Amino acid sequence: MSDAKLKQANSRVVRRLLATTVLMFAFGYALVPLYNVFCEITGLNGKTGRLTDVEAAETTVDMSREVTIEFVTNVSSDMPWEFRPLQSTIKVHPGVETMVEFEAINIAQYEVTGSAVPSVAPSAAARYFNKTECFCFSQQSLAAGETKVMPVRFIVDPGLPQKVKVVTLAYTFFESLNTAETAPQLATPPPS
Amino acid sequence: MSEAATHDDHHDDHHDHHPSGLMRWITTTNHKDIGTLYLLFSLTMFFIGGIMAMVIRLELFQPGLQFVDPQFFNSMTTMHALVMIFGAVMPAWTGFANWMIPIMIGAPDMALPRLNNWSFWILPFAFTLLLSTLFMPGGAPAGGWTMYPPLVLQTGAAFPFLIFAVHFMGASSIAGAINIIATVFNMRAPGMTLMKLPLFVWTWIITAFLLIASIPVLAGAVTMLLTDKFFGTAFFSAAGGGDPVMFQHIFWFFGHPEVYILILPAFGIVSAIIPTFARKPLFGYSSMVYATGAIAFLSFIVWAHHMFTVGMPLAGELFFMYTTILIAVPTGLKVFNWVATMWRSSMTFETPMLFALAFVVLFTIGGFSGLMLGVTPVDFQYHDTYFVVAHFHYVLVTGAVFALMAGAYFWLPKWTGNMYDEKLGQWHFWTSTISVNVLFFPQHFLGLAGMPRRIPDYAVQFADFNMVSSIGGFVFGLSQLLFVMVVVKCIRGGEKATDQVWEGAHGLEWTLPSPPPYHSFTVAPEPSSIEGGMR
């Protein structure tokens, strides 16, 4: 190869490989939404579905079958809330819209905002567990010492695999990142 | 000596000029100088990482907490891994590539010599950043080299230093990889077709593509960690809608190709050494090339076998188990080819051959324990135990590092022009090989019995095997000083090496004088002098 041709060939290789590098860097970031979409389609990671009221009304009811739903609640360790389900288990017929309630208490002396992350086990059931209303759809704010009862309305899809007899719905409350950062300044030290 | 090489000697009289002293090394764009810099840098890091390993083995010599506090112990395991992977093994391979690839393919230098200088000189800065964290408030990173959040986000002042050090190491590797690909694609001597390339060049080309495809993903992952910590993003924080397990997916999408980045060039070196000392062409050259390609491809679809226990659906676990086990096919093919090369050959057992043979046997042991770990149901028991530690040290120490040693002994006479001290080399080999097995083999038993990794203390029933392992560790650490002695002695003098050095050596690098002139193959070698294809 002549010098000029070699230079040209080298810069072509460098351009292509640098483009690949940038592309792969972007791909690393693209993995974040890709995983989310993948999990929503497959129901992996216990991500639950969401239905509108119209869709809910159209669901067929299977009165011949009963499924036990268990409720589990957690609060992230650095969040000053108490959080519990008002019923620990409930039996439902697939297709029947059911309402359950959860209670959250802010034990801090300042307002705290948080959001709940749901998870369904076994993960095979996640695709068939649909909610029409949930406090996890938006952030929840509680004033100092406030207690709030929050509803969840859900329908178990009749397509739920026959082998699934018990479904566990778990919620974990996390303090929103922005209030978590401002809280220490807002907080007055608790009287000891 | 070939005609081309003689020609070079003559030419050197006018352009062998370079600044002397320190400036020669800082400003050099010569592939041989940069190769030497890489190799010396990697040897230094090998000892720094080795000292950290000695601290770990000292603390684990007996149950209870003796010498260091748990936080510092965790810093040692984290830093040992980062220094050994990014500071010792990866730069060593790039050093070999710099030294050998141009003279193996008949090129006058690397395609991009200035970039080459830059990609080396980033490294000392990267490691100054990383090692300086040892003296920072809050201590060095201690959350494991895998940097899983949320634990790694609790790192103190060291955290941004860790992230930027990783960025720098990545930039250096990518620059090196681009340079190697450009060199092999554009600078091969006429007649050096792709299927005549020595296998070391082939394995490095594939490694370079792995680097370019995987290192940017790591860079993305650690950048996400950085913005999660300082700029309020929530990629890996459930509070903001993120997911900590996603980090593991992104990290291991880089991490699994990374383990092949560490081992593929070793396959190339062993494929050069075994035919030389068996005095027979390599068995199944083209199958070796395709097997390397197959391993590289598979490395991108097996990542979740590092995280079987995070709670994946059955379909995912089966997929990652089957693809993982599939890697045994091309890898097994390589081992069979090496054995077939030795079959009915007239072998001699100089130090490079001994290290290459030990590589074949011990790397295969590491491969077998890898198969065990790849089987999902049993991995649940082995996960995060010393069995894993034993596995990856068999593939990385008796695999990658032994191949590095083999390559160093193989080409030292070519680099320096002097034969190394064979007796010292044999001592180095036997002390290393015996002690490394005393060091790592008992760790299989410890792991099967349930001893967790990355913990400074352990239950008393693990005491005996840990003591044995520590003794092996100290002997292994000390025996590496023999290697330094060999290198220093060889640089200073010794019996003059011939051009061919080894009786069974074939390939362009052996047609050059030992040591080769500062500028070699400024005129391409005669196409008839290129044998290729078999080594």
Side-chain angles (χ1 to χ4, degrees):
Chain A
M1 258 192 253
S2 73
D3 268 7
K5 262 178 94 181
L6 179 65
K7 244 189 170 150
Q8 219 178 11
N10 281 344
S11 62
R12 194 168 54 235
V13 170
V14 171
R15 268 201 312 274
R16 284 181 188 172
L17 294 178
L18 277 180
T20 314
T21 305
V22 174
L23 214 72
M24 287 312 291
F25 185 78
F27 176 72
Y29 274 84
L31 282 174
V32 177
L34 283 176
Y35 272 117
N36 269 330
V37 170
F38 185 72
C39 288
E40 260 159 39
I41 293 171
T42 56
L44 296 183
N45 210 7
K47 286 201 195 284
T48 53
R50 189 174 171 175
L51 288 183
T52 62
D53 288 336
V54 182
E55 288 168 321
E58 287 167 359
T59 313
T60 52
V61 178
D62 180 359
M63 295 302 284
S64 66
R65 194 170 160 208
E66 225 177 25
V67 183
T68 305
I69 314 288
E70 298 178 335
F71 302 97
V72 175
T73 57
N74 296 293
V75 181
S76 144
S77 61
D78 45 3
M79 188 179 189
W81 279 18
E82 279 170 12
F83 175 45
R84 64 190 183 92
L86 292 180
Q87 61 293 303
S88 58
T89 63
I90 191 169
K91 282 183 190 295
V92 299
H93 296 295
V96 177
E97 188 170 3
T98 312
M99 192 178 88
V100 290
E101 287 179 321
F102 292 76
E103 182 187 68
I105 306 166
N106 180 7
I107 55 173
Q109 302 191 340
Y110 49 87
E111 185 181 333
V112 174
T113 304
S115 49
V117 176
S119 173
V120 169
S123 59
R127 291 163 66 188
Y128 304 96
F129 195 94
N130 298 314
K131 285 178 275 194
T132 52
E133 187 190 341
C134 178
F135 55 88
C136 60
F137 291 165
S138 60
Q139 288 197 335
Q140 302 293 328
S141 278
L142 292 185
E146 187 187 346
T147 302
K148 191 172 179 181
V149 174
M150 302 173 296
V152 171
R153 283 190 295 143
F154 66 89
I155 299 176
V156 176
D157 193 287
L160 182 76
Q162 286 295 330
K163 63 174 183 183
V164 180
K165 306 268 188 271
V166 180
V167 177
T168 307
L169 173 64
Y171 282 107
T172 307
F173 247 109
F174 291 96
E175 193 168 352
S176 323
L177 291 179
N178 37 2
T179 63
E181 260 155 42
T182 50
Q185 285 90 48
L186 292 172
T188 41
S192 49
Chain B
M1 198 192 294
S2 80
E3 227 180 307
T6 333
H7 193 76
D8 286 336
D9 273 350
H10 181 67
H11 252 261
D12 283 340
D13 299 341
H14 355 231
H15 56 95
D16 192 8
H17 298 305
H18 48 69
S20 52
L22 189 63
M23 282 317 279
R24 165 183 172 184
W25 298 103
I26 291 174
T27 61
T28 185
T29 56
N30 180 284
H31 75 99
K32 300 183 184 80
D33 282 355
I34 292 172
T36 306
L37 284 173
Y38 264 113
L39 290 171
L40 293 177
F41 177 82
S42 125
L43 189 61
T44 314
M45 287 296 142
F46 182 60
F47 277 94
I48 292 176
I51 289 167
M52 293 170 177
M54 294 299 105
V55 174
I56 294 168
R57 282 322 318 173
L58 191 67
E59 181 55 54
L60 294 175
F61 190 72
Q62 282 188 332
L65 295 176
Q66 270 78 230
F67 299 99
V68 294
D69 66 81
Q71 167 80 15
F72 187 74
F73 180 89
N74 290 343
S75 286
M76 285 294 104
T77 56
T78 305
M79 296 288 277
H80 166 72
L82 289 168
V83 167
M84 286 304 199
I85 293 168
F86 292 100
V89 177
M90 288 169 73
W93 289 136
T94 318
F96 273 97
N98 262 291
W99 244 107
M100 301 317 298
I101 288 179
I103 61 177
M104 280 177 160
I105 64 172
D109 204 311
M110 296 293 278
L112 311 155
R114 285 172 198 237
L115 181 71
N116 206 10
N117 173 288
W118 189 60
S119 56
F120 171 75
W121 280 107
I122 294 176
L123 280 179
F125 293 97
F127 280 89
T128 309
L129 280 184
L130 185 67
L131 293 172
S132 68
T133 60
L134 284 167
F135 309 102
M136 282 181 187
W145 82 278
T146 49
M147 300 177 278
Y148 285 180
L151 184 60
V152 75
L153 299 175
Q154 296 171 17
T155 308
F159 182 74
F161 288 81
L162 167 69
I163 301 300
F164 289 125
V166 170
H167 278 146
F168 278 134
M169 296 164 198
S172 162
S173 301
I174 290 170
I178 290 177
N179 213 338
I180 286 162
I181 293 175
T183 307
V184 180
F185 278 12
N186 298 337
M187 309 269 288
R188 297 193 311 276
M192 180 59 85
T193 57
L194 283 179
M195 288 314 270
K196 277 188 175 181
L197 288 175
L199 263 176
F200 178 67
V201 182
W202 254 118
T203 53
W204 234 114
I205 271 286
I206 291 166
T207 303
F209 278 110
L210 288 182
L211 281 165
I212 287 169
S214 70
I215 296 273
V217 177
L218 172 70
V222 298
T223 309
M224 290 180 216
L225 286 177
L226 190 78
T227 56
D228 267 15
K229 170 108 173 160
F230 294 111
F231 302 105
T233 60
F235 287 105
F236 309 125
S237 157
D243 187 341
V245 174
M246 195 165 57
F247 177 84
Q248 301 186 24
H249 280 289
I250 301 174
F251 179 86
W252 286 113
F253 184 85
F254 143 81
H256 204 76
E258 168 69 16
V259 307
Y260 290 105
I261 289 165
L262 299 171
I263 202 66
L264 290 185
F267 294 163
I269 283 191
V270 170
S271 304
I273 292 174
I274 289 181
T276 302
F277 295 96
R279 292 164 182 78
K280 250 179 78 183
L282 182 69
F283 185 88
Y285 168 87
S286 45
S287 69
M288 285 294 217
V289 174
Y290 299 133
T292 312
I295 292 172
F297 168 74
L298 287 173
S299 75
F300 282 103
I301 54 166
V302 297
W303 74 90
H305 69 209
H306 294 270
M307 35 191 294
F308 278 143
T309 58
V310 297
M312 256 186 284
L314 187 63
E317 294 190 326
L318 287 175
F319 173 80
F320 287 112
M321 175 171 85
Y322 290 137
T323 48
T324 301
I325 304 299
L326 202 56
I327 297 184
V329 177
T331 313
L333 186 145
K334 282 174 173 293
V335 175
F336 279 117
N337 281 348
W338 291 321
V339 174
T341 307
M342 290 184 275
W343 181 250
R344 297 200 168 173
S345 64
S346 29
M347 282 194 282
T348 49
F349 300 95
E350 288 87 345
T351 313
M353 182 61 163
L354 287 175
F355 272 105
L357 290 175
F359 169 93
V360 175
V361 174
L362 299 174
F363 175 79
T364 305
I365 291 177
F368 282 142
S369 57
L371 276 179
M372 293 168 73
L373 287 163
V375 177
T376 314
V378 289
D379 179 75
F380 274 70
Q381 186 189 339
Y382 304 155
H383 186 85
D384 255 347
T385 68
Y386 261 81
F387 191 81
V388 180
V389 177
H391 158 69
F392 66 68
H393 281 97
Y394 263 88
V395 290
L396 284 177
V397 179
T398 60
V401 173
F402 267 41
L404 283 167
M405 293 295 174
Y409 281 102
F410 189 49
W411 285 306
L412 255 181
K414 176 54 67 186
W415 297 334
T416 62
N418 306 318
M419 289 305 287
Y420 62 85
D421 186 332
E422 182 64 38
K423 200 168 199 177
L424 261 183
Q426 299 262 344
W427 268 99
H428 175 220
F429 170 76
W430 287 109
T431 50
S432 295
T433 305
I434 294 168
S435 62
V436 85
N437 283 292
V438 175
L439 165 57
F440 293 120
F441 211 83
Q443 295 184 3
H444 289 114
F445 308 139
L446 287 169
L448 292 179
M451 179 172 162
R453 61 190 283 215
R454 293 172 169 162
I455 308 278
D457 191 6
Y458 49 82
V460 283
Q461 73 263 32
F462 303 133
D464 292 348
F465 277 136
N466 267 297
M467 189 177 280
V468 171
S469 178
S470 284
I471 292 169
F474 301 144
V475 177
F476 184 73
L478 286 175
S479 35
Q480 301 322 302
L481 295 173
L482 290 173
F483 179 68
V484 178
M485 271 174 71
V486 171
V487 173
V488 170
K489 257 184 97 171
C490 187
I491 291 172
R492 286 184 150 182
E495 187 198 331
K496 289 283 161 245
T498 60
D499 293 358
Q500 201 192 3
V501 183
W502 311 108
E503 184 193 44
H506 290 263
L508 284 179
E509 78 263 37
W510 308 108
T511 64
L512 293 172
S514 305
Y518 197 62
H519 296 285
S520 45
F521 292 126
T522 44
V523 172
E526 281 297 309
S528 60
S529 66
I530 297 168
E531 307 167 84
M534 290 301 178
R535 309 285 158 184

